[in-house]
Amino acid sequence: MSTIFSRIAAREIPAVIVAEDDAAVAFMDIAPASRGHVLVIAREAYPDIFSIPPATWLRVMALAQRVAQAIGRSLAPDGINIVQNNGAAAGQTVFHLHVHLIPRWSGDGALALWHPGATAPEQLDGVARQIRAALGDD
Ligand code: AMP
């Protein structure tokens, strides 16, 4: 599978790359949510968290942590969001797994996350039972 991000990894189309290794590439988001917004991708074009092999995911996250720490040292943000969208319903627009590193400054309003909802303990138990049952299927 070839995607716009695999073409960036292969240097077939331009991007501002900040770091790379044999498994992952980090480059500047072309439409940044904040100053220093970086994307970290797997070199191989797995669409999402459901399809990427665990060892490859760990490599992506290892590079994401390295770059996040470098953002912390270089740009001195007050915080950083790590966002990873899977599926159109979750806001994914490029179907090649990527992790967003979004530096944050107090009061910047750069990102709306979620509105806390309400639930009941028995609902949490029911959902947890479903997830535990699926974990048993591994
Ligand atoms: P998502 O909505 O999680 O799929 O995020 C896709 C991200 O890719 C968006 O933040 C886009 O701004 C970014 N993006 C799309 N095309 C490029 C590109 N050619 N170079 C850098 N970033 C890109």
Side-chain angles (χ1 to χ4, degrees):
M1 187 176 83
S2 178
T3 69
I4 187 168
F5 287 173
S6 25
R7 298 188 67 207
I8 286 174
R11 288 184 155 72
E12 290 167 7
I13 58 172
V16 181
I17 293 175
V18 293
E20 61 187 320
D21 59 30
D22 59 316
V25 184
F27 54 94
M28 305 308 295
D29 194 296
I30 204 167
S34 71
R35 181 167 171 263
H37 181 169
V38 170
L39 299 177
V40 185
I41 65 165
R43 274 191 189 280
E44 283 187 70
Y46 300 103
D48 53 31
I49 193 72
F50 305 113
S51 52
I52 191 169
T56 310
W57 167 250
L58 292 180
R59 296 292 306 278
V60 172
M61 293 311 286
L63 186 61
Q65 185 183 30
R66 261 190 76 211
V67 175
Q69 290 170 336
I71 289 170
R73 289 193 299 273
S74 57
L75 305 182
D78 298 319
I80 183 163
N81 288 115
I82 296 183
V83 178
Q84 201 271 309
N85 299 326
N86 300 280
Q92 187 175 12
T93 58
V94 178
F95 295 90
H96 178 145
L97 183 135
H98 53 279
V99 174
H100 296 260
L101 307 178
I102 305 175
R104 299 297 304 274
W105 284 267
S106 299
D108 64 12
L111 201 66
L113 289 177
W114 61 84
H115 304 293
T119 188
E122 57 274 18
Q123 283 175 324
L124 296 183
D125 282 340
V127 176
R129 244 193 320 274
Q130 286 182 272
I131 297 170
R132 278 191 221 107
L135 284 167
D137 293 344
D138 281 354

